[in-house]
Amino acid sequence: PEGMEPLADGEYDAIIMGTGLKECVISGLLSVKGMKVLHVDRNGYYGADCASLNLTNLYEKFKAGEPPSFLGANRDYNVDLIPKFIMACGNLTKMLLHSKVTRYLEFKSIDGSYVYKNGRVLKVPATPEEALRSPLMGLFEKRRFRKFLVFIDQYEADKPETHEGRDLNTMTMRELYVDFGLVPDTHEFISHAMCLQLHDDHLDEPAAPTVKELQCYCYSLARYGTSPYIYPLYGLGGLPEGFSRLCAIHGGTFILNRDVDEILKDANGVAYGIKSGNEMAKAKMVIGDPSYFPKDAIRPTGKIVRCICLLNHPIPNTNDQESAQIIIPGPQAGRKNDVFVCSISSAHAVSARGVYIAIVSTLAEKSNPEEDVKPGLDLLGHVIQRFTTVATTYAPVDDGTTNKCFISSSFDETSHFEGDVEDMLELYRRVTGEELDMDINADSVEADY
């Protein structure tokens, strides 16, 4: 059009806005498929909401003045704005392997997974031997728990001989627990700390999907033996960067520090490009995170409170471990939603030696966000500095098939990626009309395949 310049090459197969993890995964996968991709971001760094910041940027973002000198060198810090661990054999690992992004990253396992029960922080047993010593259950309950885990371990949906006469498509999760004689306290810790269920609705739904999640937890745990989680050295910001390298290698174009003024649509409301200043680019589709789209294209789904804390000690009652995850089941804190605590340190190259980062996150239920994160903060001991954010989460109003605007959902409140990967796979399906092949063994992130 008159007076408009082309933005970069001007014509693309897809324009992607925002370099958050979900958008970078999609741009990486689309460029591997041979599509011509333009990727823009209003910030001068990769990662959007899930960036990892150094100390100065962190203090600047929260307008907290100058960081105190005793915290050490700026370059030692990579603090995640959204804290999450990766399930070792889960779907994100499969995605990293599938796209070969693992070659740009180095992972290290998390030292321990804990659950809060009756006022105490207790380790989720990592082996049958640990289960027999665990104060989470009484003696007879431990035997029933062990028997239950043996059943879960050998269960295969397509092999009826492993079902022991149970149909998990009709039997509910609660019925399955009761069938093994497990008491409600045990249901709670298995469901919240191992199956990673967020509330109790799943108890009265068919057991099959929850059992699948429990198997993923158990396989991941067996893989590294300390906890089922792994985490990249130098923070999660490395993930979107890895996928953007993949996109760039396949000819994708990246422009940072560039805000989008308008998504261009034709008379029928179908998107055909973007405008930025007096430049424009055209594409067959526009993909992005909710912050790039008008209010009528997205709907709020809730509010998440996250509190980033700097400590000069490991979290008490976690065996002085350098990294840990604690899940506080909602009912244990008189809440509907679980509270998540995760902590990492210099062992994962995210802070200076002797400084530990603990992040508490949960869905907002109270009028005051401080009350929401209190159950988690209470477990941390002395805190040097904390930064609290309250973020509204959004989801798209429609699937984008008709108007060619494909929007991702905001990251959830959990301290793992399982729910977010579902959204990524769904986004890929909406954009390409096909399923991403996830039939890959996630046994190792080291293999060069």
Side-chain angles (χ1 to χ4, degrees):
E2 200 88 348
M4 294 296 282
E5 302 280 319
L7 175 59
D9 287 353
E11 295 234 1
Y12 292 88
D13 292 320
I15 294 172
I16 300 179
M17 305 179 293
T19 52
L21 177 59
K22 294 180 184 185
E23 288 69 35
C24 287
V25 168
I26 297 290
S27 74
L29 295 174
L30 293 183
S31 61
V32 170
K33 279 174 80 76
M35 289 172 75
K36 188 176 175 189
V37 174
L38 171 66
H39 204 145
V40 297
D41 193 309
R42 63 171 74 94
N43 299 315
Y45 52 84
Y46 287 97
D49 283 348
C50 48
S52 306
L53 303 184
N54 64 23
L55 207 50
T56 324
N57 292 353
L58 180 70
Y59 271 73
E60 206 171 279
K61 181 177 171 63
F62 289 99
K63 305 187 172 47
E66 287 290 308
S69 57
F70 66 80
L71 285 175
N74 202 12
R75 63 172 184 278
D76 289 340
Y77 287 82
N78 295 288
V79 182
D80 298 328
L81 295 176
I82 293 185
K84 281 178 182 279
F85 291 154
I86 300 166
M87 185 67 81
C89 298
N91 279 335
L92 182 56
T93 308
K94 289 182 179 176
M95 236 173 207
L96 290 162
L97 289 167
H98 175 94
S99 56
K100 303 188 173 45
V101 167
T102 36
R103 62 175 62 151
Y104 308 130
L105 298 159
E106 197 179 330
F107 292 91
K108 198 170 167 187
S109 60
I110 294 297
D111 292 337
S113 171
Y114 294 80
V115 64
Y116 179 82
K117 184 181 169 193
N118 300 339
R120 297 168 67 195
V121 174
L122 302 171
K123 190 169 190 305
V124 177
T127 59
E129 291 68 48
E130 251 185 34
L132 292 178
R133 293 198 305 272
S134 167
L136 275 167
M137 300 164 280
L139 182 63
F140 294 110
E141 188 70 359
K142 286 175 182 169
R143 292 180 188 165
R144 294 188 284 263
F145 173 64
R146 189 171 181 167
K147 202 170 152 197
F148 172 70
L149 285 188
V150 169
F151 167 72
I152 296 295
D153 184 53
Q154 57 83 52
Y155 176 85
E156 288 181 50
D158 47 6
K159 293 193 179 160
E161 65 272 21
T162 65
H163 297 186
E164 297 181 6
R166 300 179 179 94
D167 179 1
L168 298 192
N169 292 317
T170 54
M171 187 178 213
T172 67
M173 196 63 201
R174 195 189 304 273
E175 288 166 353
L176 180 63
Y177 285 144
V178 171
D179 202 30
F180 276 92
L182 297 169
V183 300
D185 268 10
T186 310
H187 308 182
E188 181 179 274
F189 111 75
I190 297 176
S191 280
H192 291 262
M194 297 174 78
C195 309
L196 305 176
Q197 290 289 348
L198 301 181
H199 32 67
D200 289 343
D201 302 352
H202 70 283
L203 287 172
D204 299 309
E205 291 165 5
T210 307
V211 164
K212 202 172 165 204
E213 283 159 2
L214 182 54
Q215 285 183 325
C216 176
Y217 185 95
C218 294
Y219 295 154
S220 301
L221 187 55
R223 181 75 194 82
Y224 295 100
T226 51
S227 83
Y229 304 105
I230 55 176
Y231 181 87
L233 295 186
Y234 308 110
L236 293 174
L239 296 173
E241 283 172 20
F243 280 99
S244 33
R245 278 173 75 172
L246 181 71
C247 179
I249 287 168
H250 288 86
T253 305
F254 281 81
I255 307 179
L256 296 180
N257 281 322
R258 176 60 69 105
D259 211 350
V260 175
D261 297 326
E262 190 189 340
I263 295 167
L264 303 167
K265 294 186 172 179
D266 64 17
N268 300 323
V270 179
Y272 66 85
I274 59 167
K275 185 174 139 209
S276 173
N278 66 339
E279 297 180 313
M280 66 176 277
K282 288 180 159 179
K284 300 177 184 118
M285 59 177 90
V286 176
I287 303 165
D289 74 49
S291 69
Y292 285 87
F293 289 88
K295 285 279 177 273
D296 58 3
I298 52 178
R299 58 183 176 84
T301 50
K303 278 189 159 60
I304 297 180
V305 188
R306 296 189 177 97
C307 188
I308 301 173
C309 303
L310 303 178
L311 317 177
N312 55 4
H313 57 86
I315 296 181
N317 306 312
T318 56
N319 303 332
D320 288 343
Q321 284 173 332
E322 297 186 303
S323 55
Q325 183 208 48
I326 306 171
I327 292 180
I328 306 172
Q332 288 287 334
R335 300 170 52 80
K336 177 170 165 45
N337 295 287
D338 295 1
V339 179
F340 297 89
V341 181
C342 57
S343 106
I344 33 185
S345 63
S346 57
H348 286 86
V350 294
S351 63
R353 194 172 285 283
V355 178
Y356 294 77
I357 298 167
I359 308 185
V360 182
S361 55
T362 186
L363 279 177
E365 292 179 15
K366 314 269 196 270
S367 52
N368 175 4
E370 293 289 318
E371 280 181 61
D372 283 302
V373 286
K374 188 177 186 312
L377 293 176
D378 286 349
L379 305 179
L380 301 183
H382 173 65
V383 174
I384 307 173
Q385 172 79 34
R386 64 187 175 122
F387 308 100
T388 305
T389 54
V390 181
T392 302
T393 54
Y394 293 97
V397 171
D398 59 44
D399 64 5
T401 339
T402 46
N403 62 8
K404 297 295 171 221
C405 288
F406 297 98
I407 310 175
S408 64
S409 297
S410 311
F411 280 96
D412 66 25
E413 78 282 11
T414 61
S415 57
H416 51 80
F417 281 104
E418 293 309 289
D420 300 305
V421 175
E422 287 301 313
D423 182 50
M424 260 184 259
L425 291 168
E426 175 64 27
L427 189 58
Y428 183 82
R429 193 180 308 124
R430 293 190 335 238
V431 168
T432 62
E434 54 189 60
E435 300 277 342
L436 181 63
D437 172 23
M438 294 288 279
D439 205 21
I440 184 169
N441 188 342
D443 268 358
S444 172
V445 280
E446 278 93 51
D448 197 33
Y449 34 85

